[in-house]
Amino acid sequence: MASSKSLMNLLTFTFGSAIGFFVCYLLFSIILEEQVKIQPHFLHNDPHGQHSSDTDSNQLQGQMNFNADFGQHKDENKNIAEGLYQKVKILCWVMTGPQNLEKKARHVKATWAQRCNKILFMSSEENKDFPTVGLEAKEGRDQLYWKTIKAFQYVHDHYFDDADWFMKADDDTYVILDNLRWLLSKYSPEQPIYFGRRFKPYVKQGYMSGGAGYVLSKEALKRFVAAFKTSKCSHSSSIEDLALGKCMEIINVEAGDSRDTSGRETFHPFVPEHHLVRGYLPKTFWYWNYNYYPAVEGPGCCSDLAVSFHYVDSMTMYQLEYLIYHLRPYGYLYRYNPDPATSPEEQSKNEALEDNQKLKQKVTES
């Protein structure tokens, strides 16, 4: 009798424990699943590895004609920007692939690419409808430098005389061309120089981050293409940005300083929040050891004249387009000038432009 009662108690305890463990398992599974869902997009600790945005499933379906209505900004004075568009001609080429035309490249085409003087999309295969240039190369991260070499050779052979500067960007990079033109306007395209986000390991003068994009002067492009014909440079590595940086040093192309007049960075290897939010990137992350200049986190990270951001998905592409080119605080006449007038004549010219804008606004209102 006593043994039967003990056996019953043991079975009851065992059954209750099993039920308890099962319930706890379910609860922990639900909690962990929710945590995974709300975790921010984060990056692997490898500057040249594949990142989660490369396989982003949260893609926007369909392309938007985001700049169809510029009516709200018709009275803005764009004289300086329009003048630089004519003076500083930039050919942009975008690294993409057949698998990314719809989910990435089409959104680049609908936003910032419209402000290039010439835009080309480089792929492993030709697509006459998009269109893309077929480079007769394979897809894959180990093919990026081959594609880069062939893309610059194609640009040199077909469009060398159509631009002064030649910008390479990824299909998940957002570029503010107006700010890039301001930066480049201080240099001659005949100078052997290139710009981007400057990293420091492995190359004495540093090299430019591939994801943030980089831009070559006309002279730099000429030397780069010639270097492969004379065997000064070769396909020595599959790591595109590092290999290109080594070649640039060999052919005496200067790694330029792309920081603004306040010493803040303009090219950015991540999306804005990764740079702006303190503590987002842990101090063990590779980024802190790779910057050529001391990296800053928080609001001081980024120039008001930022040029690029990387790992930008399709939805963020349009968000940046809106925030940069459409959003305006009411009651402000934008007067930010990073280059103060150096003479009374220049100051008078700037004031005359502002007076003309005010007069134009008054005439429109009346």
Side-chain angles (χ1 to χ4, degrees):
M1 183 72 178
S3 61
S4 298
K5 188 174 181 180
S6 298
L7 180 60
M8 183 62 70
N9 290 337
L10 179 61
L11 289 173
T12 301
F13 174 78
T14 303
F15 181 74
S17 298
I19 294 295
F21 278 118
F22 181 71
V23 171
C24 289
Y25 171 78
L26 288 177
L27 289 173
F28 277 115
S29 297
I30 293 171
I31 292 171
L32 289 174
E33 185 178 355
E34 290 300 316
Q35 287 181 340
V36 169
K37 286 180 180 178
I38 63 174
Q39 273 189 339
H41 165 68
F42 201 65
L43 306 172
H44 298 302
N45 198 14
D46 179 2
H48 306 295
Q50 184 177 15
H51 296 277
S52 56
S53 65
D54 293 341
T55 55
D56 187 9
S57 60
N58 189 24
Q59 292 293 334
L60 181 67
Q61 298 300 316
Q63 176 180 315
M64 293 187 287
N65 188 2
F66 201 73
N67 294 299
D69 181 15
F70 264 101
Q72 298 179 69
H73 308 305
K74 64 181 185 298
D75 295 326
E76 284 187 333
N77 188 330
K78 302 176 184 177
N79 291 345
I80 295 176
E82 291 173 352
L84 285 177
Y85 181 87
Q86 298 299 328
K87 180 182 177 182
V88 184
K89 290 184 168 61
I90 302 174
L91 180 147
C92 311
W93 70 264
V94 177
M95 178 92 75
T96 189
Q99 75 282 4
N100 284 341
L101 294 185
E102 290 302 310
K103 65 180 182 180
K104 291 185 178 182
R106 70 184 303 182
H107 306 296
V108 170
K109 189 177 181 181
T111 55
W112 64 264
Q114 297 181 14
R115 300 178 187 92
C116 300
N117 294 85
K118 177 68 179 179
I119 177 68
L120 297 171
F121 290 87
M122 300 293 189
S123 176
S124 57
E125 301 174 4
E126 182 183 16
N127 184 314
K128 294 182 179 179
D129 295 326
F130 190 82
T132 64
V133 175
L135 297 174
E136 299 180 356
K138 297 178 182 179
E139 291 295 332
R141 296 194 66 81
D142 60 336
Q143 297 296 314
L144 290 181
Y145 193 37
W146 272 125
K147 289 176 70 175
T148 300
I149 295 169
K150 291 184 176 182
F152 275 126
Q153 288 174 340
Y154 180 89
V155 167
H156 177 273
D157 293 344
H158 294 84
Y159 297 100
F160 185 73
D161 294 327
D162 294 347
D164 306 308
W165 300 86
F166 302 86
M167 171 85 185
K168 175 266 173 186
D170 288 346
D171 53 17
D172 60 349
T173 305
Y174 186 96
V175 183
I176 303 98
L177 267 299
D178 302 289
N179 294 345
L180 178 58
R181 288 191 179 93
W182 165 77
L183 170 68
L184 298 178
S185 67
K186 307 173 188 309
Y187 299 88
S188 167
E190 304 306 320
Q191 182 178 351
I193 194 169
Y194 80 125
F195 295 96
R197 180 56 172 257
R198 198 170 177 185
F199 287 165
K200 66 183 179 184
Y202 312 117
V203 182
K204 185 177 180 180
Q205 71 166 356
Y207 67 97
M208 306 305 171
S209 162
Y214 45 81
V215 58
L216 279 61
S217 69
K218 186 184 285 283
E219 177 63 22
L221 174 63
K222 183 166 66 174
R223 292 190 184 191
F224 181 73
V225 172
F228 286 89
K229 295 179 181 179
T230 60
S231 299
K232 285 185 177 181
C233 294
S234 63
H235 186 272
S236 57
S237 170
S238 61
I239 301 175
E240 164 231 338
D241 49 6
L242 176 58
L244 184 137
K246 288 182 176 179
C247 178
M248 289 296 176
E249 188 168 76
I250 291 172
I251 59 179
N252 296 316
V253 171
E254 179 186 352
D257 184 352
S258 63
R259 294 175 299 169
D260 68 11
T261 51
S262 299
R264 292 177 297 178
E265 298 281 4
T266 56
F267 288 77
H268 303 289
F270 308 122
V271 288
E273 61 263 31
H274 289 186
H275 299 283
L276 290 167
V277 179
R278 287 192 177 95
Y280 198 105
L281 299 176
K283 293 302 181 182
T284 55
F285 197 51
W286 64 263
Y287 169 76
W288 302 109
N289 295 322
Y290 268 67
N291 285 281
Y292 192 88
Y293 307 106
V296 177
E297 60 179 339
C301 68
C302 310
S303 170
D304 287 358
L305 292 173
V307 169
S308 71
F309 295 97
H310 188 215
Y311 297 118
V312 178
D313 62 31
S314 55
M315 287 184 284
T316 308
M317 196 76 67
Y318 292 104
Q319 290 172 5
L320 287 173
E321 185 79 1
Y322 167 72
L323 292 172
I324 294 169
Y325 285 100
H326 292 263
L327 180 64
R328 300 289 188 275
Y330 177 76
Y332 288 82
L333 180 63
Y334 187 73
R335 299 182 62 182
Y336 176 63
N337 183 7
D339 301 315
T342 55
S343 68
E345 290 78 13
E346 290 181 45
Q347 183 66 38
S348 298
K349 183 179 179 180
N350 290 337
E351 291 175 355
L353 287 173
E354 292 172 2
D355 290 340
N356 288 337
Q357 183 178 358
K358 292 176 183 178
L359 179 61
K360 188 176 180 181
Q361 288 174 342
K362 288 181 180 179
V363 171
T364 304
E365 291 171 358
S366 59

